């Protein structure tokens, strides 16, 4: 299905252009894992592909499902729900990304770390910012320098870059900036010329 907008209201049509879900939402996300996040009356929730509300519209923000969980925000705190609406990871974080490769970056007390799908801290809260995992590595930032850690928290590529142009790896490479120069590196940190 495709999302459509008319008179500032959103809904969904099928491939033939037939309206399947009425245009009565302030905004909608595309369907992910069978559900779409929607907002009405300033509250977010989730609907299925026939428009039935599966997770009540009760959140200040809701994001797409990724690996069976969706991040949601309420009262300035982030957590994660499953497809039934059950809160799997309590809304206790100051920031959160989406699950990738079974881990997610979350923030608490101005520091970022990583938790697993049970909410267990896997990589301690020690970074100024952390991104999602990509090809087994996650971009992290500390003291205005960037590098990459593996899923155990081991620094695989030292935090020495001024900027990482791509937030993750694609086919084993990423683009970085250091001392005014932009270049590619592989997953060991080796420069590729």
């Amino acid at each position: 299905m495709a999302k459509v907008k008319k008179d500032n209201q959103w809904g969904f049509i099928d491939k033939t252009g037939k309206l399947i879900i009425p245009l009565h939402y302030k905004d909608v996300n595309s369907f992910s894992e069978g559900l779409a996040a929607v907002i009405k009356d300033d509250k977010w929730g989730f609907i299925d592909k026939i428009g039935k509300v599966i997770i009540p519209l009760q959140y200040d923000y809701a994001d797409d499902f990724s690996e069976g969980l969706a991040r949601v925000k309420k009262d300035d705190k982030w957590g994660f729900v499953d497809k039934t609406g059950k809160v799997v990871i309590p809304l206790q974080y100051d920031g959160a990304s989406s699950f990738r490769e079974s881990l997610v970056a979350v923030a608490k007390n101005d520091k970022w770390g990583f938790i697993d799908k049970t909410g267990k801290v896997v990589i301690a809260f020690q970074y100024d910012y952390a991104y999602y995992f990509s090809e087994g590595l996650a971009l992290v930032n500390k003291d205005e320098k960037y590098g990459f850690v593996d899923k155990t928290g081991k620094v695989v590529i030292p935090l020495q870059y001024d900027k990482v142009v791509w937030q993750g790896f694609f086919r084993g490479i990423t683009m970085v900036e250091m001392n005014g120069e932009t270049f590619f590196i592989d997953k060991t940190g080796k420069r590729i010329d």
Side-chain angles (χ1 to χ4, degrees):
M1 288 194 290
K3 53 186 189 174
V4 292
K5 180 180 180 182
K6 183 177 180 183
D7 299 326
N8 287 326
Q9 296 293 301
W10 289 86
F12 290 88
I13 58 172
D14 67 12
K15 291 180 182 180
T16 68
K18 179 182 175 189
L19 188 64
I20 302 297
I21 298 172
L23 301 160
H24 61 253
Y25 293 104
K26 183 178 178 182
D27 198 2
V28 296
N29 288 357
S30 297
F31 279 89
S32 66
E33 299 184 18
L35 298 176
V38 297
I39 183 173
K40 186 175 185 177
D41 300 325
D42 295 323
K43 291 296 176 185
W44 286 85
F46 292 86
I47 60 171
D48 66 13
K49 291 188 175 184
I50 60 170
K52 179 181 175 190
V53 174
I54 302 300
I55 300 173
L57 283 69
Q58 61 183 322
Y59 296 104
D60 300 330
Y61 182 77
D63 203 359
D64 297 341
F65 274 88
S66 177
E67 299 186 11
L69 298 175
R71 67 181 177 145
V72 293
K73 182 180 182 183
K74 193 172 193 177
D75 300 325
D76 286 326
K77 294 294 180 182
W78 294 89
F80 293 84
V81 296
D82 67 15
K83 291 181 192 176
T84 69
K86 177 183 173 194
V87 176
V88 176
I89 297 172
L91 283 76
Q92 62 182 343
Y93 296 103
D94 303 322
S97 65
S98 295
F99 272 93
R100 299 270 175 91
E101 300 184 16
S102 300
L103 296 177
V104 66
V106 291
K108 204 172 204 180
N109 301 321
D110 293 325
K111 290 296 176 185
W112 286 78
F114 291 85
I115 60 172
D116 65 16
K117 289 183 180 182
T118 68
K120 177 184 170 195
V121 176
V122 177
I123 299 173
F125 294 91
Q126 59 186 309
Y127 296 104
D128 298 332
Y129 197 79
Y131 297 81
Y132 53 83
F133 273 87
S134 168
E135 298 185 16
L137 298 177
L139 176 63
V140 293
N141 171 283
K142 192 173 191 178
D143 300 325
E144 298 183 21
K145 292 293 181 179
Y146 295 87
F148 291 85
V149 296
D150 67 15
K151 290 183 181 181
T152 69
K154 177 184 172 194
V155 175
V156 176
I157 299 173
L159 282 75
Q160 62 186 358
Y161 300 102
D162 302 319
K163 183 178 179 182
V164 176
V165 180
W166 301 347
Q167 292 179 357
F169 279 88
F170 180 71
R171 295 185 180 170
I173 63 170
T174 193
M175 186 184 291
V176 296
E177 278 185 23
M178 188 164 65
N179 301 324
E181 189 179 3
T182 302
F183 52 94
F184 291 98
I185 59 171
D186 67 16
K187 288 172 47 178
T188 67
K190 180 182 174 191
R191 182 176 173 149
I192 300 170
D193 290 316

